[in-house]
Amino acid sequence: MRPNLRLKQQGLTLLEVMVALLIFAVTGSAILKASGDHLSGVRIIQDITFATWVANNRLTALQLEKTWPPKNNAKGSQEMAGSTWYWSQRVEKTVDEDLMLVEVSVGTEADSKNSVTSVSTFLAKKAQP
């Protein structure tokens, strides 16, 4: 009778452990990158939403004002959601004298070079009673 020289393998070899760790590391880094990109996207959407609200507030204030025509190149700021938002408005004439195009751009910097969003509407002159 010949003795069995082969021993049963118990456990994993070092190479198998290293390959498994590499797979987990690559997977983990991909998950971290995906979650970071998602959070960045959420922040951008949040900024656009707040900036749009600020622009809509400004356009509503213009509709409530009694002065005609609206002032061109007016600038201002508004606090919303713990941040200061800077808006600037641009007014253009249309073919109708009683109608003006108003565009409000909103950003996080006072210089208005990098606006987050821009909202446009037409304002009509109010009829005199």
Side-chain angles (χ1 to χ4, degrees):
M1 225 180 184
R2 228 167 135 194
N4 190 358
L5 297 176
R6 291 176 113 190
L7 298 174
K8 281 188 166 185
Q9 180 182 0
Q10 296 177 355
L12 301 172
T13 65
L14 180 61
L15 182 60
E16 291 169 333
V17 171
M18 297 285 282
V19 169
L21 286 174
L22 176 68
I23 291 171
F24 284 128
V26 169
T27 304
S29 65
I31 290 171
L32 283 174
K33 178 168 179 5
S35 64
D37 291 346
H38 174 71
L39 290 175
S40 175
V42 167
R43 176 66 182 179
I44 291 169
I45 292 170
Q46 179 182 358
D47 286 349
I48 291 171
T49 301
F50 290 140
T52 303
W53 288 349
V54 169
N56 287 334
N57 287 346
R58 179 61 193 152
L59 291 174
T60 301
L62 281 173
Q63 290 176 345
L64 295 174
E65 287 180 3
K66 297 183 185 209
T67 58
W68 184 261
K71 185 178 176 187
N72 191 20
N73 296 325
K75 295 182 179 189
S77 64
Q78 180 180 345
E79 290 286 327
M80 180 168 287
S83 297
T84 302
W85 297 90
Y86 298 95
W87 55 264
S88 63
Q89 72 185 29
R90 184 177 55 88
V91 179
E92 287 184 24
K93 293 182 181 179
T94 61
V95 291
D96 185 353
E97 292 179 6
D98 294 335
L99 195 64
M100 295 283 189
L101 171 68
V102 179
E103 179 183 18
V104 177
S105 299
V106 180
T108 55
E109 298 174 9
D111 61 7
S112 302
K113 289 183 181 179
N114 296 326
S115 67
V116 175
T117 192
S118 179
V119 178
S120 300
T121 192
F122 289 96
L123 288 180
K125 184 177 183 180
K126 295 183 176 130
Q128 300 295 328

